[in-house]
Amino acid sequence: MGVDLSLDKEKLESQDNLKNKVGLELPNIQEDIPPRKKLIFSGIQPSGTFTLGNYLGAIINWNKLQDDYNCIYCVVDMHAITVKQEPAKLRQNTLDAYALLLACGIDLERSILFIQSHVKTHAELSWILSCSTQYGELGRMTQFKDKSQKHADDINAGLFTYPILMAADILAYNADLVPVGIDQKQHLELARNVAERFNGRYGKTFTVPDPYIGEVGSKVMSLQEPTTKMSKSDKNANGFVLIIDDKDTIIRKFKRAVTDSESEIVFREGKDGINNLMTIYSAFTGQSFEQIVNDFNGKGYGDFKIAVGEVVADKLFPIREKYLQLVSDKEYLRECYTENAVKALNVSQRVLSKVYRKVGFVS
Ligand code: TRP
């Protein structure tokens, strides 16, 4: 099947043109075209293997969205080089991320999953959009301010123009909706402004993308310091769980999870450790907090930690198996990302050609 990208609006417009030109009464196509599914675009950085936080926060939703939308997903290796990368490691991380997304359920029969640097239209569109972006608005991006503090020895121009490339990712496909976390909201807002500015200057060209606000992903906190977000850059490896950790490792990490000095399993302010464990348990089992409280009534923290560890290990097991199988089959992986890059190029090239025409480039 693949992604249905039929541009019904354009078809209808050309039908109108035809009618006007030849004065023909054509059958009403509008009735024959099923409503187009909305298009979702999202990207993820290839920062090594993903944690439970990435999984419950984003990837699990990417998966579900495939049921109701046309989805295009991208591993953004070009964004990754805005901070220093070791080339061999970046290459490995990109392939790992690609394989892991497949293992997590991104379905190439229904969606497109590609590697950003394989599709040249992103960089090309990024240049055009940079001429419709103001220096001042880029300077207001909080992520730029944070990152230039963190990487004070390398405040490169790419770090500054990062949001323009992200806008190009989205606008190159005329995406309707973009699922992003709170940290990327400002970048999406900028993409909307750039799209509107360009449309205003050159005539309607881009779809102005909306943030996808659906079921919010769960925010998973560190198992060791439950007031901070789970991150694989945590110095304490017991603070995070990787999607591809084995069962023993997962259970061990949950057994060591930091809780509090009380004994009641209940979701309440101040009980950050228990709240986090309940969030994770609920995300995997679908149980409400109320149910969890009932089920574990009278049981100790130790029992609960093991129960959470087991649920997580069981749910992640098939993903780990699939991932290991995929990374051992390099040929198959290559086929997937090559084919999908071609698909992505086909879609985005149409948009880029229109953009080139609009700005006045000679065709
Ligand atoms: N900047 C995003 C992040 O760090 C990743 C990203 C790149 C993205 N391009 C995108 C997300 C386009 C959504 C749409 O999380």
Side-chain angles (χ1 to χ4, degrees):
M1 265 297 294
V3 174
D4 166 28
L5 292 154
S6 55
L7 299 168
D8 21 355
K9 261 243 274 331
E10 275 188 10
K11 262 193 225 162
L12 290 171
E13 271 167 21
S14 66
Q15 182 194 226
D16 277 349
N17 283 341
L18 196 58
K19 240 199 270 190
N20 292 341
K21 275 190 200 122
V22 282
L24 270 179
E25 261 319 304
L26 293 170
N28 187 357
I29 308 186
Q30 200 152 19
E31 279 170 14
D32 305 337
I33 302 172
R36 183 171 70 94
K37 278 190 191 170
K38 287 204 165 169
L39 182 67
I40 293 248
F41 185 98
S42 200
I44 198 162
Q45 294 241 13
S47 48
T49 171
F50 299 126
T51 67
L52 187 61
N54 301 123
Y55 184 67
L56 294 182
I59 303 170
I60 204 169
N61 285 335
W62 281 23
N63 218 344
K64 286 190 208 143
L65 290 170
Q66 298 179 110
D67 296 336
D68 299 317
Y69 299 96
N70 290 323
C71 297
I72 303 185
Y73 297 129
C74 177
V75 181
V76 295
D77 53 349
M78 286 159 68
H79 277 106
I81 62 164
T82 53
V83 300
K84 272 191 202 117
Q85 299 283 342
E86 211 182 289
K89 211 158 161 206
L90 175 63
R91 192 170 294 121
Q92 194 56 53
N93 284 348
T94 303
L95 291 172
D96 282 354
Y98 193 92
L100 204 47
L101 288 168
L102 286 182
C104 288
I106 301 306
D107 172 8
L108 300 183
E109 294 285 313
R110 295 186 286 166
S111 307
I112 297 177
L113 173 64
F114 68 101
I115 297 170
Q116 188 185 30
S117 63
H118 287 176
V119 182
K120 66 187 174 60
T121 44
H122 292 236
E124 291 168 343
L125 182 58
S126 185
W127 174 253
I128 308 281
L129 296 180
S130 72
C131 302
S132 283
T133 308
Q134 298 302 303
Y135 181 82
E137 64 187 335
L138 289 175
R140 284 196 291 278
M141 296 292 112
T142 54
Q143 192 174 78
F144 171 70
K145 292 185 210 167
D146 291 348
K147 284 195 179 174
S148 41
Q149 265 181 8
K150 225 166 112 193
H151 307 276
D153 59 332
D154 183 21
I155 307 176
N156 62 76
L159 203 57
F160 191 62
T161 58
Y162 178 113
I164 306 178
L165 180 59
M166 180 162 156
D169 294 342
I170 299 164
L171 302 184
Y173 299 88
N174 275 328
D176 299 294
L177 293 166
V178 182
V180 283
I182 182 88
D183 61 321
Q184 297 297 316
K185 274 260 170 69
Q186 201 186 21
H187 288 165
L188 183 58
E189 196 53 46
L190 183 125
R192 288 171 54 85
N193 290 339
V194 172
E196 274 165 1
R197 194 172 299 135
F198 188 99
N199 287 347
R201 190 179 294 172
Y202 298 106
K204 169 98 180 70
T205 310
F206 295 118
T207 303
V208 179
D210 284 313
Y212 172 80
I213 304 168
E215 223 178 303
V216 279
S218 315
K219 188 165 182 199
V220 180
M221 312 303 280
S222 159
L223 297 183
Q224 290 296 309
E225 242 182 278
T227 49
T228 62
K229 202 173 140 185
M230 179 179 284
S231 158
K232 68 189 145 258
S233 48
D234 195 335
K235 278 179 212 86
N236 186 345
N238 287 321
F240 57 85
V241 170
L242 298 177
I243 300 185
I244 51 165
D245 274 342
D246 61 34
K247 182 162 186 170
D248 288 349
T249 308
I250 294 175
I251 295 192
R252 179 169 44 78
K253 287 180 178 175
F254 275 100
K255 272 189 185 162
R256 294 190 185 162
V258 168
T259 48
D260 53 61
S261 56
E262 304 175 357
S263 59
E264 208 186 344
I265 298 165
V266 62
F267 197 98
R268 191 195 297 144
E269 213 190 313
K271 294 176 76 74
D272 302 305
I274 290 295
N275 294 350
N276 190 33
L277 293 177
M278 286 179 72
T279 301
I280 296 169
Y281 192 81
S282 163
F284 277 116
T285 59
Q287 286 186 17
S288 67
F289 289 160
E290 212 177 3
Q291 266 174 305
I292 300 174
V293 170
N294 277 334
D295 288 356
F296 287 90
N297 183 18
K299 298 224 173 85
Y301 282 177
D303 289 339
F304 184 49
K305 287 187 203 174
I306 292 175
V308 182
E310 275 181 348
V311 163
V312 174
D314 286 347
K315 294 280 182 182
L316 294 184
F317 178 75
I319 297 179
R320 178 181 144 86
E321 292 291 289
K322 183 89 203 284
Y323 167 79
L324 292 174
Q325 181 205 333
L326 282 165
V327 287
S328 71
D329 192 347
K330 296 210 168 59
E331 227 7 83
Y332 173 71
L333 264 190
R334 196 202 314 275
E335 248 170 57
C336 293
Y337 60 70
T338 310
E339 220 172 80
N340 278 261
V342 173
K343 286 187 189 172
L345 180 66
N346 283 338
V347 180
S348 55
Q349 186 61 59
R350 277 198 300 203
V351 176
L352 187 72
S353 300
K354 185 168 175 186
V355 169
Y356 272 28
R357 253 195 338 270
K358 293 263 185 179
V359 299
F361 291 168
V362 176
S363 65

